[in-house]
Amino acid sequence: MGRDVVIFDTTLRDGEQAPGNSMTPEAKLRLARQLDRLGVDVIEAGFPSASEGDFNGVHAIAAAVQRPIIAALARCHDRDIDRAGEALRPAARGRIHVFIATSDLHLEHKLRLTREQCLERARAAVQRARGFTGDVEFSAEDATRTDPEFLCRVVEAAIDAGATTVNLPDTVGYATPAEYGAMFRTVQARVPGSERAVFSAHCHDDLGLAVANSLAAIEAGAGQVECTINGIGERAGNAALEEIVVAGRVRPEAVAFRCGVHTPELFRTSQLLSHVTGIFPQPNKAIVGRNAFAHEAGIHQHGMIQNGLTYEIIRPEEVGVPRSTLVLGKHSGRHALERRYQQLGYELDDATLDNLYQEFTALADKKREILDEDLLALLHGRFHDAPEAYRLARLEVTCGTVAATAAVSLGGPWAGERRATGNGNGPIAAAFAAVGELAGRSIEVLNLIVQSVTPGRDSLGQVLVQVKVDGKSLSGHGASTDIVEASTRALVHALNKASHADELEGQSLNATYFWGV
Ligand code: KIV
Ligand code: ZN
Protein backbone atom coordinates (compact mmCIF):
# COMPACT_ATOMS: atom_id res chain seq x y z
CA MET A 1 0.00 0.00 0.00
CA GLY A 2 2.98 2.35 0.24
CA ARG A 3 3.81 5.23 2.56
CA ASP A 4 1.46 7.67 4.27
CA VAL A 5 1.28 10.95 2.37
CA VAL A 6 0.02 14.15 3.99
CA ILE A 7 -2.81 15.78 2.03
CA PHE A 8 -2.38 19.55 2.28
CA ASP A 9 -5.42 21.34 0.93
CA THR A 10 -4.85 24.90 -0.28
CA THR A 11 -8.30 25.55 -1.80
CA LEU A 12 -8.89 28.36 0.69
CA ARG A 13 -5.54 30.04 -0.02
CA ASP A 14 -4.02 29.31 -3.45
CA GLY A 15 -7.44 28.35 -4.83
CA GLU A 16 -9.13 31.44 -3.51
CA GLN A 17 -6.39 33.64 -4.93
CA ALA A 18 -7.54 33.03 -8.51
CA PRO A 19 -9.90 35.58 -10.06
CA GLY A 20 -13.57 34.82 -9.46
CA ASN A 21 -12.87 32.44 -6.57
CA SER A 22 -12.96 34.93 -3.74
CA MET A 23 -14.99 33.73 -0.75
CA THR A 24 -16.50 35.42 2.25
CA PRO A 25 -15.14 34.40 5.67
CA GLU A 26 -18.43 32.53 6.31
CA ALA A 27 -18.08 30.57 3.08
CA LYS A 28 -14.49 29.70 3.93
CA LEU A 29 -15.54 28.39 7.31
CA ARG A 30 -18.26 26.24 5.73
CA LEU A 31 -15.74 24.81 3.29
CA ALA A 32 -13.17 24.24 6.02
CA ARG A 33 -15.72 22.16 7.95
CA GLN A 34 -16.38 20.11 4.84
CA LEU A 35 -12.63 19.66 4.22
CA ASP A 36 -12.41 18.37 7.79
CA ARG A 37 -15.18 15.87 7.01
CA LEU A 38 -13.31 14.91 3.84
CA GLY A 39 -10.33 13.97 5.99
CA VAL A 40 -7.55 16.20 4.67
CA ASP A 41 -4.54 16.48 6.98
CA VAL A 42 -3.77 20.17 6.54
CA ILE A 43 -6.05 23.06 5.59
CA GLU A 44 -4.22 26.14 4.38
CA ALA A 45 -6.80 28.67 5.49
CA GLY A 46 -5.38 31.89 4.06
CA PHE A 47 -2.75 34.61 4.05
CA PRO A 48 -3.49 36.65 7.20
CA SER A 49 -1.38 39.69 6.31
CA ALA A 50 -3.18 40.15 2.97
CA SER A 51 -6.29 41.73 4.50
CA GLU A 52 -8.37 41.93 7.66
CA GLY A 53 -10.83 39.57 5.98
CA ASP A 54 -8.15 36.95 5.43
CA PHE A 55 -6.88 37.33 8.99
CA ASN A 56 -10.39 36.87 10.38
CA GLY A 57 -11.04 33.92 8.07
CA VAL A 58 -7.94 32.07 9.30
CA HIS A 59 -8.68 32.94 12.91
CA ALA A 60 -12.28 31.70 12.66
CA ILE A 61 -11.23 28.44 11.01
CA ALA A 62 -8.46 27.88 13.55
CA ALA A 63 -11.01 28.30 16.35
CA ALA A 64 -13.73 26.12 14.82
CA VAL A 65 -11.92 23.30 13.03
CA GLN A 66 -9.71 21.41 15.41
CA ARG A 67 -8.80 18.01 13.90
CA PRO A 68 -6.66 18.97 10.89
CA ILE A 69 -3.59 21.16 11.04
CA ILE A 70 -4.50 24.73 10.09
CA ALA A 71 -1.82 26.49 8.05
CA ALA A 72 -1.38 30.21 7.43
CA LEU A 73 0.84 31.64 4.69
CA ALA A 74 3.42 34.36 5.30
CA ARG A 75 6.15 36.01 3.27
CA CYS A 76 9.58 36.07 4.91
CA HIS A 77 8.65 39.33 6.67
CA ASP A 78 8.40 39.80 10.41
CA ARG A 79 4.95 41.40 10.16
CA ASP A 80 3.54 38.62 7.96
CA ILE A 81 4.84 35.95 10.29
CA ASP A 82 3.49 37.70 13.38
CA ARG A 83 0.07 38.10 11.76
CA ALA A 84 0.06 34.41 10.81
CA GLY A 85 1.04 33.47 14.36
CA GLU A 86 -1.75 35.65 15.83
CA ALA A 87 -4.37 34.33 13.40
CA LEU A 88 -3.45 30.77 14.36
CA ARG A 89 -3.58 31.39 18.10
CA PRO A 90 -6.86 29.40 18.66
CA ALA A 91 -5.66 26.45 16.55
CA ALA A 92 -5.31 23.03 18.17
CA ARG A 93 -2.47 22.43 15.70
CA GLY A 94 -1.24 25.45 13.75
CA ARG A 95 1.38 25.64 11.01
CA ILE A 96 3.11 28.76 9.72
CA HIS A 97 4.00 28.45 6.05
CA VAL A 98 6.74 30.89 5.05
CA PHE A 99 7.83 31.33 1.47
CA ILE A 100 10.36 33.23 -0.58
CA ALA A 101 11.22 33.00 -4.26
CA THR A 102 14.58 31.39 -4.96
CA SER A 103 15.00 31.52 -8.75
CA ASP A 104 17.36 34.17 -10.12
CA LEU A 105 14.53 35.44 -12.29
CA HIS A 106 12.36 36.21 -9.28
CA LEU A 107 15.24 37.38 -7.11
CA GLU A 108 16.48 39.89 -9.69
CA HIS A 109 13.24 41.14 -11.17
CA LYS A 110 10.67 40.78 -8.44
CA LEU A 111 12.41 40.84 -5.08
CA ARG A 112 15.65 42.65 -6.04
CA LEU A 113 17.59 40.52 -3.62
CA THR A 114 20.91 38.73 -3.92
CA ARG A 115 21.05 35.00 -3.29
CA GLU A 116 22.79 35.64 0.04
CA GLN A 117 20.04 38.02 1.15
CA CYS A 118 17.42 35.47 0.14
CA LEU A 119 19.17 32.79 2.16
CA GLU A 120 19.33 35.04 5.21
CA ARG A 121 15.66 35.96 4.96
CA ALA A 122 14.64 32.33 4.68
CA ARG A 123 16.67 31.40 7.76
CA ALA A 124 15.42 34.34 9.82
CA ALA A 125 11.79 33.76 8.79
CA VAL A 126 11.82 30.09 9.78
CA GLN A 127 13.41 30.96 13.13
CA ARG A 128 10.81 33.64 13.82
CA ALA A 129 7.96 31.32 12.84
CA ARG A 130 9.35 28.68 15.22
CA GLY A 131 8.75 31.20 18.00
CA PHE A 132 5.02 30.67 17.41
CA THR A 133 4.79 26.96 16.61
CA GLY A 134 6.90 23.86 16.27
CA ASP A 135 5.26 23.18 12.88
CA VAL A 136 6.88 25.40 10.24
CA GLU A 137 6.78 24.88 6.50
CA PHE A 138 9.25 26.58 4.20
CA SER A 139 8.53 27.02 0.47
CA ALA A 140 11.13 27.89 -2.15
CA GLU A 141 8.85 29.64 -4.63
CA ASP A 142 9.70 28.89 -8.28
CA ALA A 143 11.86 25.98 -7.11
CA THR A 144 11.68 24.28 -10.51
CA ARG A 145 13.45 27.23 -12.17
CA THR A 146 15.99 27.65 -9.37
CA ASP A 147 19.66 26.74 -9.74
CA PRO A 148 19.82 23.29 -8.04
CA GLU A 149 22.99 24.21 -6.08
CA PHE A 150 21.36 27.28 -4.63
CA LEU A 151 18.08 25.45 -3.99
CA CYS A 152 19.98 22.88 -1.91
CA ARG A 153 21.68 25.65 0.09
CA VAL A 154 18.36 27.37 0.88
CA VAL A 155 16.69 24.09 1.83
CA GLU A 156 19.60 23.21 4.12
CA ALA A 157 19.40 26.63 5.79
CA ALA A 158 15.63 26.30 6.27
CA ILE A 159 15.96 22.85 7.85
CA ASP A 160 18.80 24.02 10.10
CA ALA A 161 16.63 26.92 11.21
CA GLY A 162 13.84 24.51 12.19
CA ALA A 163 11.60 23.96 9.13
CA THR A 164 9.73 20.69 9.59
CA THR A 165 8.26 20.63 6.06
CA VAL A 166 10.05 21.79 2.92
CA ASN A 167 7.95 22.55 -0.12
CA LEU A 168 9.43 22.67 -3.63
CA PRO A 169 6.74 24.32 -5.75
CA ASP A 170 6.43 24.23 -9.48
CA THR A 171 5.02 27.74 -9.22
CA VAL A 172 4.58 28.34 -12.93
CA GLY A 173 3.65 24.78 -13.96
CA TYR A 174 6.84 24.41 -16.00
CA ALA A 175 8.22 21.00 -15.03
CA THR A 176 7.57 17.60 -16.52
CA PRO A 177 7.01 14.56 -14.27
CA ALA A 178 10.52 13.16 -14.87
CA GLU A 179 12.13 16.52 -14.06
CA TYR A 180 10.00 17.15 -11.01
CA GLY A 181 10.69 13.70 -9.57
CA ALA A 182 14.42 14.13 -10.26
CA MET A 183 14.43 17.45 -8.38
CA PHE A 184 13.06 15.75 -5.25
CA ARG A 185 15.59 12.94 -5.47
CA THR A 186 18.49 15.36 -5.96
CA VAL A 187 17.57 17.74 -3.16
CA GLN A 188 16.86 14.96 -0.67
CA ALA A 189 20.10 13.18 -1.54
CA ARG A 190 22.30 16.27 -1.44
CA VAL A 191 20.99 18.24 1.53
CA PRO A 192 22.51 17.17 4.85
CA GLY A 193 19.71 16.68 7.38
CA SER A 194 17.00 16.32 4.69
CA GLU A 195 15.63 13.30 6.58
CA ARG A 196 14.56 15.69 9.38
CA ALA A 197 11.93 17.35 7.14
CA VAL A 198 8.92 16.17 5.19
CA PHE A 199 9.29 17.12 1.52
CA SER A 200 6.22 18.54 -0.18
CA ALA A 201 5.02 18.92 -3.77
CA HIS A 202 3.02 21.94 -4.94
CA CYS A 203 2.18 21.95 -8.64
CA HIS A 204 0.41 24.36 -10.94
CA ASP A 205 -1.29 23.17 -14.09
CA ASP A 206 -0.04 25.51 -16.82
CA LEU A 207 1.02 22.55 -18.98
CA GLY A 208 -1.76 20.27 -17.71
CA LEU A 209 0.81 18.26 -15.74
CA ALA A 210 0.07 19.25 -12.14
CA VAL A 211 -1.39 15.91 -11.04
CA ALA A 212 1.19 13.87 -12.98
CA ASN A 213 3.97 15.96 -11.41
CA SER A 214 2.52 15.52 -7.92
CA LEU A 215 2.40 11.73 -8.37
CA ALA A 216 5.98 11.78 -9.67
CA ALA A 217 7.04 13.67 -6.54
CA ILE A 218 5.36 11.07 -4.32
CA GLU A 219 7.21 8.35 -6.19
CA ALA A 220 10.44 10.28 -5.62
CA GLY A 221 9.89 10.45 -1.86
CA ALA A 222 7.65 13.46 -1.22
CA GLY A 223 5.68 12.96 1.98
CA GLN A 224 3.13 15.72 1.36
CA VAL A 225 1.16 16.97 -1.66
CA GLU A 226 -0.47 20.37 -1.86
CA CYS A 227 -3.62 20.49 -3.91
CA THR A 228 -7.06 22.06 -4.29
CA ILE A 229 -10.62 20.84 -4.75
CA ASN A 230 -11.61 20.94 -8.44
CA GLY A 231 -8.00 21.97 -9.16
CA ILE A 232 -8.85 25.65 -8.69
CA GLY A 233 -5.99 28.10 -8.35
CA GLU A 234 -3.83 30.73 -9.98
CA ARG A 235 -3.99 30.78 -13.82
CA ALA A 236 -4.58 27.17 -14.99
CA GLY A 237 -5.04 26.07 -11.38
CA ASN A 238 -3.34 23.76 -8.89
CA ALA A 239 -3.15 19.97 -8.82
CA ALA A 240 -6.66 18.58 -8.23
CA LEU A 241 -6.95 16.86 -4.84
CA GLU A 242 -9.63 14.44 -6.03
CA GLU A 243 -7.50 13.26 -8.96
CA ILE A 244 -4.40 12.62 -6.85
CA VAL A 245 -6.31 10.78 -4.14
CA VAL A 246 -8.43 8.64 -6.47
CA ALA A 247 -5.39 7.76 -8.60
CA GLY A 248 -3.85 6.33 -5.42
CA ARG A 249 -7.01 4.37 -4.60
CA VAL A 250 -7.64 2.98 -8.08
CA ARG A 251 -4.02 2.19 -8.97
CA PRO A 252 -2.29 1.30 -5.68
CA GLU A 253 0.18 -0.94 -7.49
CA ALA A 254 1.28 1.97 -9.71
CA VAL A 255 0.86 4.94 -7.34
CA ALA A 256 1.65 3.52 -3.94
CA PHE A 257 0.61 5.81 -1.11
CA ARG A 258 -1.92 5.95 1.69
CA CYS A 259 -3.89 8.95 2.90
CA GLY A 260 -6.82 9.63 5.18
CA VAL A 261 -9.18 11.15 2.62
CA HIS A 262 -12.71 9.74 2.83
CA THR A 263 -13.46 9.57 -0.91
CA PRO A 264 -17.29 9.40 -0.61
CA GLU A 265 -17.09 13.06 0.53
CA LEU A 266 -15.29 14.17 -2.64
CA PHE A 267 -18.29 15.00 -4.80
CA ARG A 268 -20.09 16.86 -2.01
CA THR A 269 -16.97 18.94 -1.33
CA SER A 270 -16.61 19.74 -5.03
CA GLN A 271 -20.27 20.78 -5.27
CA LEU A 272 -20.07 22.94 -2.18
CA LEU A 273 -17.02 24.75 -3.55
CA SER A 274 -18.72 25.27 -6.92
CA HIS A 275 -21.80 26.74 -5.33
CA VAL A 276 -19.78 29.01 -3.09
CA THR A 277 -17.60 30.39 -5.89
CA GLY A 278 -20.12 30.14 -8.70
CA ILE A 279 -17.61 28.26 -10.84
CA PHE A 280 -18.30 24.64 -11.80
CA PRO A 281 -15.64 22.30 -13.16
CA GLN A 282 -15.87 21.58 -16.88
CA PRO A 283 -18.29 18.70 -17.66
CA ASN A 284 -15.50 16.28 -18.59
CA LYS A 285 -13.44 17.02 -15.44
CA ALA A 286 -12.13 13.76 -13.96
CA ILE A 287 -13.94 12.45 -10.85
CA VAL A 288 -16.25 15.43 -10.22
CA GLY A 289 -17.35 16.67 -13.68
CA ARG A 290 -21.01 16.10 -14.52
CA ASN A 291 -20.06 13.75 -17.37
CA ALA A 292 -17.38 11.85 -15.46
CA PHE A 293 -19.73 8.87 -15.06
CA ALA A 294 -22.03 9.38 -18.06
CA HIS A 295 -21.96 6.71 -20.76
CA GLU A 296 -23.40 8.01 -24.00
CA ALA A 297 -22.15 5.80 -26.80
CA GLY A 298 -24.38 2.79 -27.43
CA ILE A 299 -21.45 0.39 -27.47
CA HIS A 300 -20.34 1.67 -24.06
CA GLN A 301 -23.83 1.41 -22.63
CA HIS A 302 -24.09 -2.15 -23.86
CA GLY A 303 -20.78 -3.03 -22.19
CA MET A 304 -21.82 -1.36 -18.95
CA ILE A 305 -25.03 -3.37 -18.80
CA GLN A 306 -23.07 -6.63 -19.21
CA ASN A 307 -20.38 -5.68 -16.70
CA GLY A 308 -19.71 -2.28 -15.15
CA LEU A 309 -15.95 -2.87 -15.25
CA THR A 310 -15.93 -2.64 -19.06
CA TYR A 311 -15.90 1.16 -19.06
CA GLU A 312 -15.97 2.22 -15.42
CA ILE A 313 -12.79 2.17 -13.34
CA ILE A 314 -14.36 3.97 -10.39
CA ARG A 315 -17.87 3.38 -9.07
CA PRO A 316 -19.66 6.75 -8.69
CA GLU A 317 -20.64 6.01 -5.09
CA GLU A 318 -16.97 5.56 -4.14
CA VAL A 319 -16.49 9.28 -4.74
CA GLY A 320 -19.94 10.27 -3.53
CA VAL A 321 -21.60 10.90 -6.90
CA PRO A 322 -25.30 10.17 -6.38
CA ARG A 323 -26.95 7.86 -8.88
CA SER A 324 -29.92 9.78 -10.32
CA THR A 325 -32.69 8.57 -8.09
CA LEU A 326 -36.35 9.39 -8.13
CA VAL A 327 -36.78 10.30 -4.50
CA LEU A 328 -39.78 12.41 -3.79
CA GLY A 329 -42.90 13.80 -5.39
CA LYS A 330 -45.73 16.20 -4.88
CA HIS A 331 -47.22 14.22 -2.00
CA SER A 332 -44.06 13.62 -0.03
CA GLY A 333 -44.07 15.14 3.43
CA ARG A 334 -41.57 17.10 5.47
CA HIS A 335 -40.31 13.90 7.20
CA ALA A 336 -39.59 12.22 3.89
CA LEU A 337 -37.65 15.29 2.81
CA GLU A 338 -35.69 15.35 6.06
CA ARG A 339 -34.89 11.63 5.76
CA ARG A 340 -33.70 11.98 2.19
CA TYR A 341 -31.41 14.87 3.11
CA GLN A 342 -30.04 12.72 5.95
CA GLN A 343 -29.37 9.92 3.45
CA LEU A 344 -27.53 12.46 1.31
CA GLY A 345 -25.41 13.34 4.34
CA TYR A 346 -27.04 16.58 5.54
CA GLU A 347 -28.43 17.11 9.05
CA LEU A 348 -30.61 20.21 8.76
CA ASP A 349 -31.91 22.44 11.50
CA ASP A 350 -35.67 23.03 11.71
CA ALA A 351 -35.66 26.51 10.21
CA THR A 352 -33.60 25.40 7.17
CA LEU A 353 -35.81 22.35 6.71
CA ASP A 354 -38.98 24.46 6.87
CA ASN A 355 -37.65 26.83 4.21
CA LEU A 356 -36.50 23.96 2.04
CA TYR A 357 -39.83 22.22 2.38
CA GLN A 358 -41.60 25.32 1.08
CA GLU A 359 -39.24 25.50 -1.89
CA PHE A 360 -39.64 21.78 -2.44
CA THR A 361 -43.45 21.93 -2.59
CA ALA A 362 -43.29 24.92 -4.96
CA LEU A 363 -40.94 22.95 -7.19
CA ALA A 364 -43.06 19.80 -7.00
CA ASP A 365 -45.96 21.83 -8.43
CA LYS A 366 -43.88 22.58 -11.51
CA LYS A 367 -41.85 19.40 -11.83
CA ARG A 368 -43.25 15.88 -11.60
CA GLU A 369 -40.15 13.99 -10.48
CA ILE A 370 -37.82 15.38 -7.85
CA LEU A 371 -34.34 13.84 -8.00
CA ASP A 372 -31.41 13.97 -5.60
CA GLU A 373 -29.79 16.58 -7.80
CA ASP A 374 -32.85 18.81 -7.40
CA LEU A 375 -32.67 18.50 -3.63
CA LEU A 376 -28.97 19.35 -3.66
CA ALA A 377 -29.62 22.38 -5.91
CA LEU A 378 -32.29 23.63 -3.49
CA LEU A 379 -30.00 23.10 -0.53
CA HIS A 380 -26.99 24.76 -2.11
CA GLY A 381 -29.24 27.60 -3.19
CA ARG A 382 -29.78 28.28 0.51
CA PHE A 383 -26.07 28.54 1.16
CA HIS A 384 -26.34 32.27 0.91
CA ASP A 385 -23.12 33.65 2.23
CA ALA A 386 -24.81 36.87 3.04
CA PRO A 387 -27.86 38.09 4.89
CA GLU A 388 -30.79 38.83 2.61
CA ALA A 389 -30.57 42.57 1.94
CA TYR A 390 -32.58 42.15 -1.29
CA ARG A 391 -35.33 39.65 -2.06
CA LEU A 392 -36.97 38.95 -5.39
CA ALA A 393 -40.72 39.34 -4.86
CA ARG A 394 -42.10 39.30 -8.39
CA LEU A 395 -40.90 39.10 -11.98
CA GLU A 396 -42.83 39.54 -15.22
CA VAL A 397 -41.21 39.56 -18.64
CA THR A 398 -42.37 40.22 -22.16
CA CYS A 399 -40.10 39.00 -24.88
CA GLY A 400 -40.08 37.57 -28.35
CA THR A 401 -38.66 38.74 -31.65
CA VAL A 402 -38.80 42.35 -30.45
CA ALA A 403 -36.84 43.92 -27.56
CA ALA A 404 -37.69 42.53 -24.12
CA THR A 405 -39.21 44.30 -21.14
CA ALA A 406 -39.17 43.15 -17.52
CA ALA A 407 -41.01 44.35 -14.46
CA VAL A 408 -39.30 43.43 -11.19
CA SER A 409 -40.45 43.93 -7.60
CA LEU A 410 -37.75 43.71 -4.95
CA GLY A 411 -37.85 43.72 -1.19
CA GLY A 412 -34.74 45.56 0.00
CA PRO A 413 -33.18 47.72 2.67
CA TRP A 414 -36.28 49.88 2.33
CA ALA A 415 -39.79 49.40 3.73
CA GLY A 416 -42.10 47.22 1.63
CA GLU A 417 -41.44 46.33 -2.00
CA ARG A 418 -40.31 48.52 -4.89
CA ARG A 419 -41.01 47.95 -8.54
CA ALA A 420 -39.10 48.98 -11.66
CA THR A 421 -39.18 48.11 -15.32
CA GLY A 422 -36.18 47.54 -17.55
CA ASN A 423 -35.53 46.94 -21.24
CA GLY A 424 -32.95 44.83 -22.97
CA ASN A 425 -32.16 42.79 -26.04
CA GLY A 426 -33.44 39.72 -24.18
CA PRO A 427 -35.47 38.92 -21.04
CA ILE A 428 -32.44 38.41 -18.79
CA ALA A 429 -30.88 41.73 -19.84
CA ALA A 430 -34.22 43.45 -19.23
CA ALA A 431 -34.63 41.90 -15.76
CA PHE A 432 -31.05 42.82 -14.86
CA ALA A 433 -31.66 46.43 -15.94
CA ALA A 434 -34.70 46.61 -13.64
CA VAL A 435 -32.77 45.09 -10.70
CA GLY A 436 -29.86 47.48 -11.31
CA GLU A 437 -32.21 50.44 -11.18
CA LEU A 438 -33.85 49.29 -7.97
CA ALA A 439 -30.55 48.57 -6.22
CA GLY A 440 -29.01 51.82 -7.49
CA ARG A 441 -25.68 50.10 -8.05
CA SER A 442 -23.50 49.72 -11.11
CA ILE A 443 -23.68 46.11 -12.32
CA GLU A 444 -21.36 44.72 -14.99
CA VAL A 445 -22.09 41.14 -16.05
CA LEU A 446 -18.87 39.19 -16.68
CA ASN A 447 -20.28 35.72 -17.23
CA LEU A 448 -23.53 33.84 -16.95
CA ILE A 449 -23.77 30.07 -17.00
CA VAL A 450 -27.06 28.17 -17.26
CA GLN A 451 -27.07 24.47 -16.46
CA SER A 452 -29.94 22.03 -16.21
CA VAL A 453 -29.85 20.18 -12.90
CA THR A 454 -31.41 16.97 -14.22
CA PRO A 455 -32.35 15.66 -17.67
CA GLY A 456 -35.84 16.43 -19.00
CA ARG A 457 -37.79 19.42 -20.20
CA ASP A 458 -39.11 20.27 -16.75
CA SER A 459 -35.63 20.37 -15.18
CA LEU A 460 -34.57 23.00 -12.69
CA GLY A 461 -32.23 25.48 -14.35
CA GLN A 462 -29.26 26.49 -12.29
CA VAL A 463 -27.66 29.84 -13.07
CA LEU A 464 -24.29 31.09 -11.95
CA VAL A 465 -23.56 34.70 -12.66
CA GLN A 466 -20.26 36.51 -12.26
CA VAL A 467 -20.66 40.24 -11.94
CA LYS A 468 -18.89 43.37 -10.86
CA VAL A 469 -21.03 45.34 -8.41
CA ASP A 470 -19.60 48.84 -8.04
CA GLY A 471 -16.28 47.44 -9.23
CA LYS A 472 -16.25 44.43 -6.86
CA SER A 473 -16.10 40.96 -8.49
CA LEU A 474 -18.73 38.61 -7.09
CA SER A 475 -20.66 35.56 -8.08
CA GLY A 476 -24.29 34.68 -7.47
CA HIS A 477 -26.32 31.53 -7.73
CA GLY A 478 -30.01 30.97 -8.45
CA ALA A 479 -32.23 28.04 -9.36
CA SER A 480 -35.73 27.83 -10.83
CA THR A 481 -37.60 25.95 -13.54
CA ASP A 482 -37.59 29.33 -15.36
CA ILE A 483 -34.10 30.44 -16.38
CA VAL A 484 -34.98 34.15 -16.43
CA GLU A 485 -36.13 33.85 -12.84
CA ALA A 486 -33.05 31.75 -11.94
CA SER A 487 -30.79 34.42 -13.50
CA THR A 488 -32.54 37.21 -11.63
CA ARG A 489 -32.25 35.26 -8.38
CA ALA A 490 -28.54 34.77 -9.08
CA LEU A 491 -28.09 38.51 -9.56
CA VAL A 492 -29.99 39.25 -6.35
CA HIS A 493 -27.73 36.75 -4.56
CA ALA A 494 -24.65 38.59 -5.86
CA LEU A 495 -26.13 41.90 -4.68
CA ASN A 496 -26.66 40.41 -1.23
CA LYS A 497 -23.03 39.39 -1.15
CA ALA A 498 -22.01 42.90 -2.21
CA SER A 499 -24.04 44.47 0.60
CA HIS A 500 -22.58 42.03 3.08
CA ALA A 501 -19.08 42.84 1.85
CA ASP A 502 -19.75 46.54 2.42
CA GLU A 503 -20.77 45.75 5.97
CA LEU A 504 -17.65 43.77 6.77
CA GLU A 505 -15.69 46.83 7.62
CA GLY A 506 -12.09 46.79 6.54
CA GLN A 507 -12.48 43.46 4.82
CA SER A 508 -11.83 42.96 1.17
CA LEU A 509 -13.72 40.20 -0.61
CA ASN A 510 -11.36 40.68 -3.45
CA ALA A 511 -8.10 40.54 -1.59
CA THR A 512 -5.22 41.00 -3.96
CA TYR A 513 -1.96 39.54 -2.84
CA PHE A 514 1.27 41.40 -2.97
CA TRP A 515 3.98 38.93 -3.67
CA GLY A 516 6.99 41.24 -3.67
CA VAL A 517 9.06 42.00 -0.59
O1 KIV B 1 2.87 28.37 -6.24
C1 KIV B 1 3.59 28.70 -5.28
O2 KIV B 1 4.80 28.78 -5.34
C2 KIV B 1 2.91 29.02 -4.03
C3 KIV B 1 3.76 29.19 -2.82
C4 KIV B 1 3.35 30.35 -1.99
C5 KIV B 1 3.78 27.92 -2.04
O3 KIV B 1 1.71 29.03 -3.96
ZN1 ZN C 1 0.83 27.96 -5.72
Side-chain angles (χ1 to χ4, degrees), residues 13-14 169 171 202 204 234 238:
R13 198 279 297 170
D14 219 348
T171 304
H202 176 115
H204 283 266
E234 287 277 16
N238 287 59

Side-chain angles (χ1 to χ4, degrees), residues 353-367:
L353 191 65
D354 286 343
N355 288 329
L356 279 171
Y357 187 62
Q358 274 183 20
E359 292 178 30
F360 162 76
T361 48
L363 178 62
D365 276 339
K366 298 181 188 163
K367 190 172 186 289

Side-chain angles (χ1 to χ4, degrees), residues 10 13-14 17 44 73 97 99 137 139-143 167 169-172 202 204 226 234-235 238 515:
T10 184
R13 198 279 297 170
D14 219 348
Q17 226 164 279
E44 187 163 50
L73 187 69
H97 176 190
F99 76 98
E137 172 164 339
S139 279
E141 191 190 4
D142 206 19
N167 185 34
D170 186 21
T171 304
V172 291
H202 176 115
H204 283 266
E226 305 193 356
E234 287 277 16
R235 306 180 310 279
N238 287 59
W515 292 95

Side-chain angles (χ1 to χ4, degrees), residues 296-448:
E296 276 295 325
I299 191 166
H300 287 203
Q301 288 176 347
H302 177 70
M304 287 291 297
I305 290 164
Q306 304 303 317
N307 183 338
L309 292 176
T310 49
Y311 287 103
E312 203 167 75
I313 59 164
I314 313 153
R315 281 183 304 126
E317 46 275 28
E318 285 173 55
V319 293
V321 173
R323 300 261 183 202
S324 280
T325 336
L326 171 62
V327 283
L328 300 171
K330 203 176 164 125
H331 302 293
S332 309
R334 191 177 174 282
H335 279 303
L337 185 70
E338 182 177 20
R339 203 168 47 246
R340 190 59 203 164
Y341 273 121
Q342 280 166 350
Q343 285 163 353
L344 290 169
Y346 296 95
E347 290 293 340
L348 304 174
D349 59 49
D350 281 349
T352 309
L353 191 65
D354 286 343
N355 288 329
L356 279 171
Y357 187 62
Q358 274 183 20
E359 292 178 30
F360 162 76
T361 48
L363 178 62
D365 276 339
K366 298 181 188 163
K367 190 172 186 289
R368 207 163 33 90
E369 299 177 335
I370 309 274
L371 310 181
D372 283 348
E373 290 92 325
D374 294 312
L375 297 186
L376 292 174
L378 292 184
L379 178 66
H380 287 135
R382 294 216 64 78
F383 284 164
H384 283 242
D385 309 315
E388 221 176 35
Y390 301 96
R391 182 181 44 79
L392 178 65
R394 197 176 169 83
L395 167 72
E396 292 152 60
V397 287
T398 316
C399 63
T401 48
V402 288
T405 315
V408 175
S409 299
L410 280 192
W414 49 74
E417 285 168 15
R418 286 191 188 163
R419 187 170 189 274
T421 51
N423 299 312
N425 57 2
I428 294 176
F432 279 22
V435 172
E437 191 183 321
L438 286 169
R441 307 192 68 153
S442 120
I443 297 170
E444 186 191 343
V445 179
L446 306 174
N447 198 8
L448 187 143

